[in-house]
Amino acid sequence: MAQSPSRSDRLPIRELQTVADLLETPALARLYVYIIQHGPVTVSETVDELDIPQGTAYEYVRDLETAGLVEKTREQRPYGYDAEAIALTLSTDGETRTITPSLIAAVARRDEDADIDVYIERHGLDGLAVALEYAREYVDGTVNHRIAARELDLSPLEAEVILQALEPVAVEYADPTV
Amino acid sequence: MTTVYVADTGVFVRCGGPDNDKFQRLRRPVRQAGVTLRIPKRVYEELGGDPATDAYPSGTVPYQTGSRKA
């Protein structure tokens, strides 16, 4: 029997593909984070603010819209766009990871903050996601670099470097669900 | 009573070296107050204890230049 189409406009697998792109493409991540923080915005506003070529920005916004991660807020030109906060939870054997706007915001800083870039090279995006959880506690004052180092199996210096690098993201996204 | 100013690892990671603006902003008041910062042995060892952190821009703190044994 044919299933009636879902009433939801969400396309989970399409969304997953775009989230994977967000994690791999810092400029796309910066655009998404900008729309979350400042939306509704027009594409030309993002071009002015983010130093992304105009054609690329239109392409990125179209991809995000197709995936349901941003939506038009007005139907006349220039279109305004607002973003939906993602919370994509992935489960593999024994490990669960939720991809949140704060993780995307951390990835978005990769181009401008080489400390984050090196950390991702060394420990991957899973390592970054865990470090971000510690950065929140570091900002709250409940964890210092020595505790983080011991629990993340890093040297104290490397722990301090990444906790400070992630501090602005942890401050901005204090709520752990985002 | 003696007051001792102790600096933890995070201070040096945040301030970097003499070329960094934050370093200058720390050095000025410290000098004006006529005090020195004490660095515990543990902090000294942390600052130079991991060659792997050389890959990080903030992981190479020129800690030896500005410190001496008490």
Side-chain angles (χ1 to χ4, degrees):
Chain A
M1 191 178 75
Q3 295 283 317
S4 57
S6 164
R7 272 173 297 173
S8 167
D9 291 334
R10 307 296 293 244
L11 303 166
I13 295 175
R14 181 70 190 83
E15 192 171 323
L16 174 68
Q17 289 172 322
T18 304
V19 171
D21 290 342
L22 279 170
L23 293 172
E24 278 183 355
T25 321
L28 177 62
R30 282 196 291 129
L31 178 75
Y32 173 70
V33 168
Y34 184 82
I35 298 174
I36 278 199
Q37 289 175 338
H38 302 278
V41 293
T42 64
V43 177
S44 58
E45 282 165 10
T46 67
V47 169
D48 292 343
E49 286 295 324
L50 300 177
D51 196 24
I52 296 174
Q54 186 171 324
T56 308
Y58 276 98
E59 186 186 321
Y60 283 171
V61 168
R62 195 185 57 226
D63 289 348
L64 292 170
E65 189 184 10
T66 306
L69 295 177
V70 306
E71 58 183 28
K72 281 196 188 85
T73 54
R74 45 177 272 149
E75 286 300 329
Q76 298 105 345
R77 290 175 190 274
Y79 301 129
Y81 291 93
D82 214 343
E84 182 140 339
I86 49 164
L88 182 70
T89 300
L90 305 172
S91 293
T92 54
D93 290 344
E95 278 291 338
T96 301
R97 186 89 62 227
T98 301
I99 298 169
T100 55
S102 58
L103 180 62
I104 304 295
V107 170
R109 295 179 71 83
R110 176 170 197 178
D111 280 346
E112 59 183 278
D113 190 327
D115 289 328
I116 293 177
D117 190 51
V118 173
Y119 196 84
I120 294 171
E121 290 291 327
R122 286 172 59 87
H123 303 283
L125 291 164
D126 286 280
L128 183 74
V130 177
L132 184 56
E133 290 172 24
Y134 278 84
R136 284 201 173 92
E137 295 192 53
Y138 173 82
V139 168
D140 287 343
T142 52
V143 150
N144 65 16
H145 70 287
R146 294 188 184 94
I147 296 171
R150 193 169 60 235
E151 295 183 4
L152 296 174
D153 199 19
L154 304 171
S155 72
L157 184 57
E158 187 174 17
E160 184 66 47
V161 167
I162 191 60
L163 290 172
Q164 286 192 19
L166 292 174
E167 193 176 43
V169 179
V171 168
E172 189 140 9
Y173 297 85
D175 178 355
T177 60
V178 296
Chain B
M1 194 182 77
T2 311
T3 306
V4 175
Y5 297 90
V6 177
D8 203 353
T9 307
V11 173
F12 299 97
V13 172
R14 206 173 288 279
C15 291
D19 298 339
N20 195 319
D21 184 46
K22 282 183 183 166
F23 180 95
Q24 298 295 340
R25 276 190 273 156
L26 173 69
R27 186 164 76 170
R28 210 169 301 126
V30 166
R31 281 194 167 169
Q32 280 169 359
V35 298
T36 47
L37 301 177
R38 296 284 182 92
I39 306 169
K41 185 163 179 274
R42 179 185 197 174
V43 171
Y44 189 85
E45 286 170 357
E46 282 182 4
L47 289 169
D50 181 12
T53 59
D54 289 352
Y56 294 91
S58 303
T60 48
V61 182
Y63 65 102
Q64 286 164 315
T65 320
S67 58
R68 59 183 166 79
K69 245 181 174 170

